[in-house]
Amino acid sequence: MSEIQEWTTVIKPKDKFWSIDFKELWKYRDLTTLFVKRNIITQYKQTILGPLWFVIQPIMTVFMYMVVFGGIAGIGTDGIPQPLFYLAGTCMWHYFSDCLNKTSNTFVSNSGLFGKVYFPRLIVPIANVTSNLLRFGIQLSLFIVVYIVYAIIGCEATVNWYALLFPVLVVMMAGLALGFGILISSLTTKYRDLQILFSFIVQLWMYATPIVYPLSLVKGKTAAGMDLYTIMHLNPVTPVLETFKYGVLGAGEFIGWGWLAYSFIFMVVLLVFGVVIFNKTQKSFMDTV
């Protein structure tokens, strides 16, 4: 009987920089699970309150929004109780920003690990996006509890069938964060100034997204004569966030399938472009990190 030879090393032509080895990613799925567990455990390590911080943070954030934007600034919330309105926005935004901040430091924060052993580098940002679902789930549970309390006392917020789009909206948020994150991570390996600039942009980005104010209040034109309402829609996070708020709160009006499709297409194009740059950078990033 002839013995079947199994090769330990395969020499093959150089892959195209836009190619993605999905088989390899699936082969290392156990490693992805380990990274997810590592991210969750390190968040709780050496903390007294542990996961309770995921509840305390949105509560304190919502309280400050109520004082500053609802009280001092007097910004309305489309008739929705302020805690519900602010929680709906902060839950989605915190998931997006957390995924974005962590994936944008993929190469720099994992350079020591990447320099010692090979595995598909795309696993790390995927694990970051996946592990953040736990935090998002805890904060979403807080929103549901507050929602039930207001429903008992007779709140006018009503869930409609657009809430069924919730799984799609979460995938879109994760895709946008992953796309932007791996793109920025690829650029910051060589230009560290971009890392500082990007952290500042994320802070401003929150105020360019209707989280602490309803989109119905955005009116008028910019100094260049452009419609401010349309500019707000060009933010790919806005249609996702507004659809979620309209679905679970019933406030305002549905932003439209066209703008939702725009965000989805934007996410797909961004992911493709981000992976292209990521694959190109991962081959030589150790020379610049």
Side-chain angles (χ1 to χ4, degrees):
M1 295 179 65
S2 59
E3 296 182 358
I4 300 176
Q5 295 182 342
E6 295 184 358
W7 304 102
T8 57
T9 304
V10 179
I11 301 176
K12 58 183 180 179
K14 187 176 180 181
D15 292 334
K16 296 178 181 179
F17 65 87
W18 64 79
S19 62
I20 307 175
D21 195 343
F22 290 104
K23 287 178 115 178
E24 188 179 36
L25 289 174
W26 177 251
K27 180 181 177 182
Y28 283 86
R29 62 188 180 277
D30 292 336
L31 183 60
T32 305
T33 304
L34 290 176
F35 275 123
V36 171
K37 291 180 179 179
R38 180 201 68 172
N39 294 340
I40 295 174
I41 292 174
T42 52
Q43 286 179 326
Y44 300 151
K45 191 176 181 181
Q46 295 181 335
T47 60
I48 298 176
L49 299 179
L52 285 177
W53 283 112
F54 294 162
V55 177
I56 295 173
Q57 181 186 1
I59 290 177
M60 295 181 65
T61 301
V62 168
F63 177 75
M64 290 303 299
Y65 287 167
M66 291 172 62
V67 172
V68 177
F69 297 101
I72 300 175
I75 299 177
T77 56
D78 278 343
I80 301 298
Q82 292 180 357
L84 273 181
F85 183 86
Y86 294 138
L87 269 176
T90 54
C91 283
M92 295 291 283
W93 175 258
H94 281 168
Y95 176 66
F96 172 75
S97 61
D98 287 343
C99 293
L100 188 57
N101 288 325
K102 289 182 178 179
T103 54
S104 63
N105 294 320
T106 297
F107 286 121
V108 176
S109 59
N110 295 278
S111 58
L113 180 61
F114 288 168
K116 294 177 182 178
V117 63
Y118 171 77
F119 58 88
R121 311 308 189 197
L122 201 57
I123 283 180
V124 175
I126 291 176
N128 288 331
V129 171
T130 305
S131 60
N132 276 333
L133 285 173
L134 174 64
R135 180 173 186 169
F136 176 63
I138 294 174
Q139 295 182 350
L140 186 65
S141 300
L142 173 64
F143 170 75
I144 294 174
V145 170
V146 176
Y147 194 99
I148 293 174
V149 171
Y150 273 99
I152 293 175
I153 63 178
C155 173
E156 295 182 358
T158 54
V159 179
N160 53 58
W161 73 272
Y162 288 102
L164 298 176
L165 294 173
F166 174 72
V168 179
L169 300 178
V170 174
V171 170
M172 290 175 65
M173 276 292 197
L176 288 169
L178 182 62
F180 278 115
I182 60 178
L183 180 61
I184 297 300
S185 178
S186 303
L187 297 176
T188 53
T189 56
K190 188 174 181 180
Y191 307 104
R192 297 297 178 88
D193 288 348
L194 291 177
Q195 192 170 359
I196 301 173
L197 176 63
F198 183 68
S199 62
F200 177 65
I201 290 176
V202 172
Q203 296 177 14
L204 295 180
W205 196 346
M206 189 196 78
Y207 295 103
T209 307
I211 299 172
V212 296
Y213 54 88
L215 193 60
S216 58
L217 293 182
V218 179
K219 299 177 182 178
K221 297 183 179 295
T222 63
M226 298 181 64
D227 184 18
L228 189 58
Y229 188 78
T230 303
I231 293 177
M232 291 291 296
H233 284 64
L234 293 177
N235 176 0
V237 181
T238 296
V240 180
L241 188 61
E242 279 297 300
T243 301
F244 171 73
K245 289 166 64 177
Y246 179 71
V248 298
L249 300 177
E253 59 183 17
F254 180 52
I255 200 170
W257 293 105
W259 284 111
L260 202 57
Y262 157 77
S263 289
F264 184 82
I265 295 172
F266 190 101
M267 177 201 69
V268 173
V269 173
L270 178 66
L271 275 175
V272 172
F273 183 70
V275 169
V276 167
I277 302 300
F278 190 87
N279 283 345
K280 185 177 180 180
T281 304
Q282 71 174 349
K283 299 174 183 178
S284 59
F285 82 97
M286 287 303 298
D287 297 332
T288 56
V289 170

